[in-house]
Amino acid sequence: MVSGLAQTTNYAASPLTSPAIPDPGLSPLFRVIGALALVIGLFLGGVWLFRNWRRLSMQRNGRPKLNVIETRSLGGRHALYVVGYENERFLIASSPSGVNMLSHLPAAVEGGSETGTNNSPSPSFAQALTQVLKGK
């Protein structure tokens, strides 16, 4: 039995052999640089996608429903806007005190002319504004 104990304690006396250390070359460095470039590229791609998500979704859905058709500055911080939503049009005024809807303009037809004009050319912004102001 003593010889069995001597054999078990003999393991501590034998020198440990270390495994062979791989030769450090340039390949681990290239792998680390490649992984870093991949992570940075994924991050920048995610930031770009986050910032341009609205533009990409609008291109997929077709043309936007809300458009500023025409704008006229009246001086200072006053302006008039013709805003279209689908086939509806509105005349809106902007001033330092706020934004007001002045009038609901006749609906726009797909062909670009107004309803009830009998194929006559649509009036210019100035003509439409005078018609609206005379109506009030």
Side-chain angles (χ1 to χ4, degrees), residues 1-13:
M1 287 241 238
V2 174
S3 66
L5 287 174
Q7 287 179 353
T8 57
T9 58
N10 197 12
Y11 287 119

Side-chain angles (χ1 to χ4, degrees), residues 1 4 6 11 21 35 49 55-56 60 63 83 88 107 110 113 119-120 130:
M1 287 241 238
Y11 287 119
I21 298 174
L49 187 64
R55 187 178 356 158
L56 292 175
R60 207 173 5 158
R63 70 180 190 116
V83 177
E88 301 291 323
E110 290 296 323
S113 63
N119 294 331
S120 65
T130 13

Side-chain angles (χ1 to χ4, degrees), residues 17-84:
T17 59
S18 63
I21 298 174
D23 182 29
L26 293 178
S27 73
L29 180 65
F30 285 131
R31 278 192 277 161
V32 169
I33 291 174
L36 181 64
L38 179 69
V39 168
I40 290 174
L42 286 174
F43 176 74
L44 293 176
V47 168
W48 180 87
L49 187 64
F50 178 75
R51 294 185 81 184
N52 294 305
W53 183 254
R54 283 187 181 170
R55 187 178 356 158
L56 292 175
S57 66
M58 285 180 62
Q59 288 176 355
R60 207 173 5 158
N61 295 337
R63 70 180 190 116
K65 293 181 180 182
L66 183 65
N67 292 315
V68 176
I69 298 170
E70 197 167 345
T71 304
R72 290 284 189 243
S73 176
L74 301 177
R77 292 172 51 192
H78 299 272
L80 290 175
Y81 299 94
V82 176
V83 177

Side-chain angles (χ1 to χ4, degrees), residues 62-117:
R63 70 180 190 116
K65 293 181 180 182
L66 183 65
N67 292 315
V68 176
I69 298 170
E70 197 167 345
T71 304
R72 290 284 189 243
S73 176
L74 301 177
R77 292 172 51 192
H78 299 272
L80 290 175
Y81 299 94
V82 176
V83 177
Y85 182 79
E86 291 184 345
N87 289 334
E88 301 291 323
R89 295 188 307 162
F90 306 97
L91 183 63
I92 296 176
S94 170
S95 67
S97 63
V99 176
N100 297 318
M101 185 175 97
L102 298 179
S103 174
H104 182 205
L105 298 174
V109 178
E110 290 296 323
S113 63
E114 295 179 2
T115 58
T117 56

